[in-house]
Amino acid sequence: MEVLRQEGASCMDGFIARAGQLTLTKKELCFEFKGGDEVEKPICISLDDIDKVDYFKSLSIIPNGLTLFLRSGELTHFVVDDRKSWQEALLKATRLGTK
């Protein structure tokens, strides 16, 4: 599958940031947790399930958070280096930017 964007990132689990790799393809966004004591399944979100992409500040001051609003009503939060370019890539891939 063609990778559109990939970067080391963190997935927020409450107030805890869990390190891993965030990968965007033409069909989904997947987060794979870094190795550790426990083996965790990747979090994969179909691009069709994403309703909105917005920002948040980690620790309420650091502008590095990306929030995905899913059609199911759930929210998923990632910490990335360049949230603006991630948002743009997701908007382009999901076509939310054309609505």
Side-chain angles (χ1 to χ4, degrees), residues 52-65:
K52 182 179 173 186
V53 182
D54 206 353
Y55 301 137
F56 74 94
K57 293 181 181 180
S58 59
L59 302 175
S60 297
I61 57 170
I62 304 168
N64 62 354

Side-chain angles (χ1 to χ4, degrees), residues 35-78:
D37 292 337
E38 51 189 80
V39 177
E40 300 226 29
K41 287 185 177 182
I43 296 171
C44 291
I45 301 166
S46 168
L47 297 184
D48 292 336
D49 292 338
I50 299 173
D51 192 40
K52 182 179 173 186
V53 182
D54 206 353
Y55 301 137
F56 74 94
K57 293 181 181 180
S58 59
L59 302 175
S60 297
I61 57 170
I62 304 168
N64 62 354
L66 193 66
T67 300
L68 302 181
F69 293 79
L70 306 183
R71 296 192 193 288
S72 66
E74 294 178 59
L75 303 177
T76 304
H77 307 283
F78 297 104

Side-chain angles (χ1 to χ4, degrees), residues 5-10 20-22 55-56 58 62-66 78-87:
R5 186 170 175 84
Q6 189 171 47
E7 177 182 307
S10 295
Q21 184 83 14
L22 191 61
Y55 301 137
F56 74 94
S58 59
I62 304 168
N64 62 354
L66 193 66
F78 297 104
V79 174
V80 295
D81 286 334
D82 184 356
R83 66 186 185 170
K84 183 178 180 184
S85 65
W86 270 101
Q87 182 188 46

